[in-house]
Amino acid sequence: MPVPTPSAPARSLPEAVHRRRWAVLGVLMLSLLIVVLDNSILNVAVKTISTPAPTGLGSTQSELEWAINSYTLVFAGLLFASGLLGDRLGRKRSLLFGLVVFGAGSALAAFSGSPGELIAFRAVMGLGAAFVMPATLAVLMNVFERDEQPRAIGIWAGGVGLAIAIGPITGGVLLEHFWWGSIFLINVPVVLLALGLMIWLVPESRDPAPGRIDVVGVLLSVLGLVLLVYGIIRGGEQASFTEAGVLVPVVAGLAVLTAFVLYEKRSDHPALDVSYFRKPVFSAAVAAIALVFFALMGVTFFSAFYLQSVRGYSALDSGLLLLPLALAQMVFAPRARLAVERFGARTVCATGMAAVALGLGAFAFFDADTPVWVLCLVFLVQGAGMAHIMPPVTVAIMQTLPREKAGSGSAINNTFRQVGGALGVAVLGSVLSSVYRGEMEGHLGALPAAVRTTAGESLEATLAVAEKLGADALVAPAHQAFLDAMHVTAWASAGIAAVGAVVVAVFLPGRTAPPGTPPRPTTDQQDHPQPAHR
């Protein structure tokens, strides 16, 4: 009797959508590229923007921080609400709206006439990005069948690595040949290309039964996230979390988010079904994202100063040194699913977090003469570690939720990543600043009293005062104080990543049998096999 061949799994998506799914993924990655690329470009341009006109805008340190933070504040504050609206109104519409706003904000930022204008237009860009980022992942979940989603998410995560690589290099090239505004203007043609391809290729999708909109829940989520992120940012600026201007918004934000959770638990039409957080896999995946970005963004923040101010590399050279990290993500992220199939998400993610912790801890041993190949090796290890964390935990989050809630799931994923990253910059930046100030106090006595406080705020501030007053004797102590502060911060970062490794090792699932695998016989069945039926 012939053995029947297994039939192909039935598709839940229209054939036309299934055929162009990879082209759609390419368009989504293009949209994702400019959102991620923009932040990495700005990091290499801060020194140029701080110089007086006509070269830059003459921005102060605080104004530069807010040029970065205004984007983060709006982006993080609106992520959840934008994901929810995408589910309700249509993910394609959300993407198109976000891209138009992001492109307009980029064009306006390029021609800013003052630091205040740049801060405002960066906030507009954050508004657009808040609608783009969650929609890309939500559309992905609705054009790929469940069995192909891990592979697609791996490629999507690898696109982040591509943006990390392209951003600093592109920024360095543009700053060497054009004015500072070109780092924003470069977004406009990419946005126009993405808009055209999206209108042509990307299908519309939405929640077929969204129910009544939870206006109270949406408003509480926006208010709570904005207050929390604002307080975190202020804490980073002040290098202290005990001042009223920091504590009040942080505590208020946490209180509003607590009220949001309590309200959602009792609502008959919640914006967020908080019962998903009772699932250990879902909660562990969300925590892993927050912890890895907490550790990584903090280190990324101070590594730029280490490479440019201590080592003396140009913006372009610094960007090239980050290539190993980005290339490792591009190579390994799309293949992370293969490792998960063989070893299980628990082993793969715990190993990836351990690799990230190892890479972060290595910064504790860097000095002004560490060989370049060592830096490249450490960045390679970090990139490979992240590549084996982000795809599996993203799959765990997205596949926990039903497909019609993909926008909300993507928003949760990105919100925790953004808040974790903001906390990393603020908290670890505060550690860095506190240690640096403590070490520099004894070296500033020869300076005029009016500039001592300013000179001790940061490495950049010390070097600027030293250059202005001709106090060359301050340069070597400043470099050493920064290195000592970086070492302390690196240990803290590595410790946070190690906590993340423990979380995923305890709560993520181990290896699961592939679909169609027959269950293993029990001991009783092995000892007493059943007779075959004739």
Side-chain angles (χ1 to χ4, degrees), residues 66 69-70 72-73 228-238 422 426:
W66 272 107
N69 292 334
S70 62
T72 302
L73 182 64
L228 177 62
V229 175
Y230 175 78
I232 291 169
I233 290 170
R234 289 290 296 163
E237 287 180 342
Q238 302 295 326

Side-chain angles (χ1 to χ4, degrees), residues 155-520:
I155 296 172
W156 177 87
V160 176
L162 179 64
I164 292 172
I166 291 177
I169 296 170
T170 305
V173 171
L174 289 172
L175 291 173
E176 285 190 3
H177 296 89
F178 304 101
W179 97 113
W180 65 267
S182 62
I183 67 169
F184 299 114
L185 199 61
I186 192 69
N187 293 334
V188 176
V190 182
V191 165
L192 293 175
L193 176 61
L195 284 171
L197 292 173
M198 195 170 296
I199 293 170
W200 176 34
L201 290 169
V202 176
E204 184 60 282
S205 63
R206 60 172 61 85
D207 186 345
R212 289 183 294 141
I213 189 167
D214 181 11
V215 177
V216 174
V218 170
L219 292 177
L220 286 174
S221 72
V222 172
L223 179 60
L225 285 170
V226 167
L227 284 170
L228 177 62
V229 175
Y230 175 78
I232 291 169
I233 290 170
R234 289 290 296 163
E237 287 180 342
Q238 302 295 326
S240 170
F241 283 83
T242 58
E243 297 183 7
V246 176
L247 273 178
V248 170
V250 167
V251 172
L254 291 174
V256 172
L257 290 175
T258 301
F260 166 71
V261 171
L262 294 174
Y263 180 83
E264 295 300 284
K265 288 175 70 175
R266 296 174 181 173
S267 175
D268 58 357
H269 56 288
L272 172 64
D273 187 349
V274 294
S275 65
Y276 287 115
F277 285 93
R278 296 175 188 161
K279 301 179 179 182
V281 172
F282 184 84
S283 295
V286 167
I289 285 177
L291 288 171
V292 74
F293 272 86
F294 181 101
L296 194 72
M297 291 302 292
V299 170
T300 303
F301 175 74
F302 67 66
S303 65
F305 294 104
Y306 167 69
L307 293 173
Q308 294 186 42
S309 298
V310 176
R311 300 298 297 266
Y313 293 118
S314 67
L316 179 57
D317 290 338
S318 299
L320 290 171
L321 282 171
L322 288 174
L323 267 178
L325 185 147
L327 291 175
Q329 286 200 59
M330 289 172 58
V331 170
F332 291 113
R335 294 167 174 79
R337 63 186 175 86
L338 302 176
V340 171
E341 289 172 4
R342 182 168 183 179
F343 302 107
R346 177 189 302 156
T347 300
V348 171
C349 290
T351 303
M353 289 292 279
V356 170
L358 184 66
L360 296 174
F363 274 86
F365 301 95
F366 286 180
D367 56 32
D369 302 312
T370 300
V372 170
W373 69 266
V374 175
L375 301 180
C376 292
L377 179 61
V378 168
F379 286 133
L380 183 69
V381 170
Q382 284 183 326
M386 284 199 69
H388 287 90
I389 300 167
M390 298 312 299
V393 297
T394 302
V395 169
I397 292 171
M398 298 305 295
Q399 291 194 343
T400 300
L401 277 67
R403 177 176 275 170
E404 60 268 20
K405 301 296 183 184
S408 299
S410 177
I412 292 169
N413 175 64
N414 287 295
T415 298
F416 275 83
R417 181 171 72 175
Q418 199 68 24
V419 172
L423 265 173
V425 172
V427 175
L428 297 178
S430 297
V431 172
L432 183 79
S433 178
S434 297
V435 176
Y436 179 82
R437 289 179 181 182
E439 292 216 8
M440 284 302 297
E441 280 181 1
H443 298 280
L444 302 176
L447 294 177
V451 298
R452 285 177 196 165
T453 301
T454 302
E457 286 182 353
S458 66
L459 174 62
E460 289 295 308
T462 305
L463 295 179
V465 169
E467 182 179 2
K468 184 177 180 179
L469 300 181
D472 294 339
L474 280 178
V475 174
H479 284 171
Q480 188 57 51
F482 178 85
L483 288 172
D484 292 342
M486 184 180 78
H487 295 162
V488 173
T489 311
W491 283 122
S493 305
I496 295 296
V499 171
V502 173
V503 169
V504 297
V506 172
F507 293 107
L508 284 190
R511 187 184 176 200
T512 56
T517 301
R520 295 183 62 184

